[in-house]
Amino acid sequence: MGLSTEEIMRLSLDLVGWDDVPGDSTTYVSGDDIETALVGIDLESPEVQLAHREGFDLALAHHPAGDDARLDFTDVLDKQVEFMTAHGVPEDEAEEAADSIREGAEYGAHAANYRHNPSVAEYLDQPYMNVHLAPDELGRRAFVDVVDTLDESDTVADLRDAFNAEFAELRDAKTDIETRVGSDDNELGEVAVHHAAGTNGGADVARAYFENGVDTVIYIHVSASDAAELREEYDDKNLVVTGHIASDAIGLNEYIDALEDAGVDCTTISGCGL
């Protein structure tokens, strides 16, 4: 007997010690006796059709693809504040820094066709779900473990070397770890890993860190405009960007390993399994 979609979701929560399903993760079409899964960072309607045509018991995406995971995505953005306050940012400043991210997510969700991808899966009766925050949290914890082996006097270049040595996903990716603000020669100082908060924090969140004693912020992606804005203000602070898909793959691959151990045969596409 295979697993149900409920058990597959529960496995992701158990890996990080959580009780509740985050707002950015959901089951679009439930299923039982799942023994095979097509797994990818982005699985939308074409990949749902692929999964159905190839006979997979489940299409399992990482990124939210619609319905509640799209509409309730703002719920997980509280993590932005949680991570900032853990590094000494006053709560009122952290809330203000996160406001624009919340607003952008809410407006985007309101405008989105949140039924597009789920409706295709429903039509095909293809079990389909996405699991986002829990695998990202696995990746965040892995990043923190490496950061904890470094000293404040180590450089940004040392951080890059340590990450590439530890994570094959980063080492083998076609994207490199980039220093978007600061210099490879700068000392790390205090480091904040800002990952598993729904999305990156942009310029406002990085600035809140920098103004409250954090010297190096790690994002997995950032816009060109946010990076340019920060470069105009800081040359003694560092924003290190590890790469979106390679970084997502770290936690997702750990989750896939757990699924395999539980008896689900996973075929990986769309960025995971790197």
Side-chain angles (χ1 to χ4, degrees):
M1 288 288 292
L3 301 181
S4 67
T5 46
E6 182 179 359
E7 289 169 325
I8 288 171
M9 184 69 78
R10 172 52 52 188
L11 177 59
S12 74
L13 302 179
D14 289 345
L15 289 172
V16 292
W18 295 345
D19 294 325
D20 300 322
V21 178
D24 64 352
S25 306
T26 197
T27 299
Y28 308 105
V29 176
S30 62
D32 296 300
D33 197 19
I34 292 166
E35 296 180 343
T36 63
L38 183 67
V39 188
I41 289 176
D42 293 289
L43 297 189
E44 299 182 343
S45 59
E47 294 78 27
V48 169
Q49 294 172 68
L50 173 65
H52 184 261
R53 185 175 70 243
E54 297 298 319
F56 287 97
D57 298 328
L58 174 68
L60 173 56
H62 177 53
H63 286 149
D67 279 357
D68 291 346
R70 189 74 171 91
L71 296 173
D72 295 340
F73 183 81
T74 52
D75 292 352
V76 306
L77 297 178
D78 289 345
K79 288 284 185 179
Q80 304 272 339
V81 175
E82 177 184 325
F83 293 157
M84 282 185 279
T85 55
H87 282 276
V89 179
E91 186 167 359
D92 60 338
E93 292 184 34
E95 291 283 356
E96 184 177 358
D99 278 348
S100 62
I101 303 167
R102 290 190 179 112
E103 183 178 39
E106 193 278 325
Y107 273 61
H110 193 267
N113 184 352
Y114 58 89
R115 289 293 300 143
H116 176 67
N117 297 306
S119 70
V120 173
E122 290 167 5
Y123 178 78
L124 296 171
D125 196 25
Q126 171 64 52
Y128 180 36
M129 62 191 297
N130 90 279
V131 181
H132 188 231
L133 196 65
D136 279 356
E137 175 64 12
L138 291 173
R140 186 191 71 84
R141 293 178 187 181
F143 279 177
V144 169
D145 286 344
V146 174
V147 168
D148 286 346
T149 69
L150 300 169
D151 295 324
E152 291 191 358
S153 59
D154 287 328
T155 66
V156 171
D158 294 327
L159 172 67
R160 177 186 292 107
D161 290 345
F163 272 17
N164 281 329
E166 180 66 22
F167 303 113
E169 293 89 347
L170 301 184
R171 184 171 64 248
D172 297 339
K174 292 188 176 182
T175 53
D176 296 324
I177 300 171
E178 299 286 353
T179 305
R180 297 299 191 190
V181 178
S183 166
D184 287 354
D185 296 328
N186 284 353
E187 292 186 356
L188 290 173
E190 182 178 345
V191 179
V193 177
H194 196 84
H195 178 30
T199 186
N200 80 85
D204 289 344
V205 167
R207 185 180 296 107
Y209 279 120
F210 291 157
E211 293 299 317
N212 287 278
V214 173
D215 303 290
T216 299
V217 173
I218 298 173
Y219 283 169
I220 70 168
H221 56 85
V222 73
S223 72
S225 59
D226 283 332
E229 183 178 331
L230 291 165
R231 280 196 299 271
E232 289 184 359
E233 299 177 41
Y234 304 99
D235 58 14
D236 60 342
K237 302 287 188 177
N238 312 298
L239 178 63
V240 178
V241 180
T242 55
H244 187 180
I245 302 307
S247 301
D248 275 359
I250 293 169
L252 192 55
N253 286 343
E254 186 174 343
Y255 178 40
I256 290 167
D257 288 343
L259 286 171
E260 294 266 4
D261 289 343
V264 179
D265 183 15
C266 296
T267 297
T268 58
I269 63 172
S270 186
C272 59
L274 291 173

